[in-house]
Amino acid sequence: AFGMGIDKSNIAFVLHYNMPGDLESYYQEAGRAGRDGSPAECILIYNKKDVQTANYFAERGAEDRRARGMDPELSQELYARDLERIRKMASYCKTTDCLRSFILRYFGETDTPYRCEHCSSCEAESETLDATAEAQKIVSCVLRLEQRERSVGRVMLVDILRGSGAQNVTRSGFDTLSTYGIMKDVPKTYAHAVLEALIEAGHLKVSDSKYPVVTCTPQGRDFIKLRQPFTFKVAKAKTRMDEEQEAPARKAKATKAATGDLAGDVDQELLTKLKMLRTEIARGQDLPAFIVFHDSTLVDMCAKKPRDRAEFLEVAGVGQKKAELYADAFLACIRASKPESEA
């Protein structure tokens, strides 16, 4: 994304090739797209290693603060804050709930719609899986380890549950646990998916240590004690035929976003003139062009071709204030562009 001070309104795509360190940064960077009111697409590519990288930089930041003589208690408080922000960012990357609602809730807007119907979570076909049995086995295994005053990471935990014969499992005596091998028939990828869902749900948590380990929360203990059900959502697997059928629609959507063509067949010559007028006004007032009018407003202006101020106010994105400031100039441009037969 562009840095501070650069105003570029017609950005149609923002691509994050790894996870930002916090949602504040992501919100600012992703928000560079669609500022002209046109459809835009924001893509975030996430890998679990991104969390490790973010944690590393958070730890380095804490070390630097201590080296500069910052109060140890304050330094630790800031470090804990950074880790919490990383956890929230990682949760955003993994959630199957509405992404817009997730961000709004993070910034304190609790009264938000459950679905926006535009993000990848809302558009994806998902199914809810009943993973109660698998979840109980995973949490039980963590509790058995804690009884021995032991704790392990995600990979080792799944290896124990699936009955791995690896030396690091048997050498530590984990093959003597009652939960050893109780998920031997469960695919590794599914076991990891349930584990991540349990962490996301708050039944388990992962430590912030250099070598993160999985521990049980009070909520997880209640889950076992009360024999509660456990479900989680996953995206439905798509067949090759599904992908081929969706490809033309994705291409059309991308083209539409890139060109800003929101109204189909508009008068491109008039649209160009309106954009030039907008640029001229924006430069004269030392404003970004999109502050004058979004591209979507200019497209609607081309479609409606208002003849007077009353009709100008019917254009999407035009209010009383902007009509007072710009109506005369834009109406004159539209009238000048009309063929004589329409004048």
Side-chain angles (χ1 to χ4, degrees):
F2 292 110
M4 297 297 289
I6 296 179
D7 286 305
K8 186 74 173 170
S9 65
N10 60 338
I11 301 298
F13 298 95
V14 170
L15 173 65
H16 283 88
Y17 63 87
N18 54 19
M19 185 191 82
D22 52 62
L23 274 165
E24 287 83 357
S25 298
Y26 177 74
Y27 184 71
Q28 185 272 329
E29 292 159 7
R32 294 289 179 177
R35 294 178 68 178
D36 60 358
S38 301
E41 196 163 0
C42 302
I43 299 172
L44 168 58
I45 300 173
Y46 164 75
N47 187 290
K48 290 180 183 177
K49 291 183 179 179
D50 294 340
V51 179
Q52 297 174 10
T53 302
N55 284 336
Y56 167 77
F57 283 116
E59 188 175 344
R60 286 290 301 273
E63 291 174 357
D64 289 343
R65 286 191 291 268
R66 288 193 293 269
R68 294 198 305 268
M70 179 179 284
D71 176 68
E73 187 174 336
L74 176 58
S75 177
Q76 184 60 33
E77 184 179 326
L78 293 175
Y79 178 50
R81 180 207 63 184
D82 291 343
L83 292 178
E84 179 60 23
R85 287 179 173 177
I86 293 168
R87 278 195 292 270
K88 288 292 186 181
M89 187 69 237
S91 294
Y92 174 84
C93 294
K94 295 182 288 185
T95 186
T96 54
D97 293 332
C98 174
L99 300 180
R100 181 175 184 271
S101 292
F102 189 104
I103 290 176
L104 290 175
R105 288 196 303 271
Y106 177 79
F107 287 108
E109 295 189 31
T110 55
D111 186 20
T112 62
Y114 180 66
R115 295 171 62 87
C116 69
E117 304 300 345
H118 294 292
C119 70
S120 56
S121 291
C122 289
E123 289 188 341
E125 288 190 42
S126 61
E127 56 184 334
T128 300
L129 301 180
D130 184 349
T132 303
E134 292 82 3
Q136 288 174 342
K137 292 173 182 178
I138 292 172
V139 177
S140 294
C141 187
V142 174
L143 291 172
R144 294 291 181 274
L145 284 163
E146 290 183 357
Q147 287 175 356
R148 295 189 181 187
E149 298 184 349
R150 301 293 300 274
S151 54
V152 298
R154 292 177 173 94
V155 174
M156 176 73 82
L157 179 60
V158 171
D159 283 346
I160 294 169
L161 287 159
R162 297 186 71 250
S164 170
Q167 284 189 3
N168 58 347
V169 174
T170 57
R171 189 171 54 241
S172 301
F174 295 144
D175 56 339
T176 63
L177 287 165
S178 60
T179 50
Y180 175 77
I182 59 173
M183 292 178 67
K184 61 182 179 181
D185 296 325
V186 176
K188 182 182 289 188
T189 52
Y190 184 68
H192 275 288
V194 179
L195 172 58
E196 292 300 325
L198 284 165
I199 295 169
E200 183 66 22
H203 292 357
L204 300 174
K205 67 177 181 179
V206 180
S207 69
D208 298 321
S209 54
K210 186 175 182 180
Y211 300 102
V213 294
V214 181
T215 57
C216 191
T217 65
Q219 183 177 312
R221 295 176 187 276
D222 287 342
F223 165 69
I224 292 295
K225 182 179 179 180
L226 302 176
R227 297 183 176 275
Q228 297 169 336
F230 186 79
T231 61
F232 71 108
K233 289 196 303 182
V234 295
K236 283 186 178 179
K238 292 183 179 180
T239 65
R240 184 172 181 178
M241 184 178 294
D242 292 332
E243 293 287 349
E244 290 175 352
Q245 289 175 346
E246 291 177 5
R250 285 200 304 270
K251 184 176 180 181
K253 181 180 178 181
T255 302
K256 189 175 181 181
T259 60
D261 185 7
L262 306 180
D265 296 328
V266 298
D267 186 337
Q268 293 297 324
E269 184 178 345
L270 174 58
L271 182 59
T272 299
K273 290 179 179 178
L274 292 177
K275 286 184 176 181
M276 291 173 64
L277 174 60
R278 179 184 63 178
T279 300
E280 182 181 335
I281 292 172
R283 285 176 178 169
Q285 298 181 350
D286 195 24
L287 293 171
F290 71 89
I291 295 296
V292 178
F293 284 126
H294 286 169
D295 279 4
S296 56
T297 299
L298 299 185
V299 169
D300 197 42
M301 217 177 281
C302 287
K304 292 178 178 175
K305 292 186 173 65
R307 293 168 295 182
D308 52 39
R309 185 164 296 203
E311 291 183 0
F312 193 75
L313 282 166
E314 294 177 3
V315 174
V318 175
Q320 288 288 349
K321 182 65 175 178
K322 289 197 174 183
E324 291 174 8
L325 291 172
Y326 309 125
D328 291 343
F330 281 89
L331 287 171
C333 182
I334 292 169
R335 282 194 290 267
S337 298
K338 283 187 177 182
E340 291 185 7
S341 59
E342 295 183 27

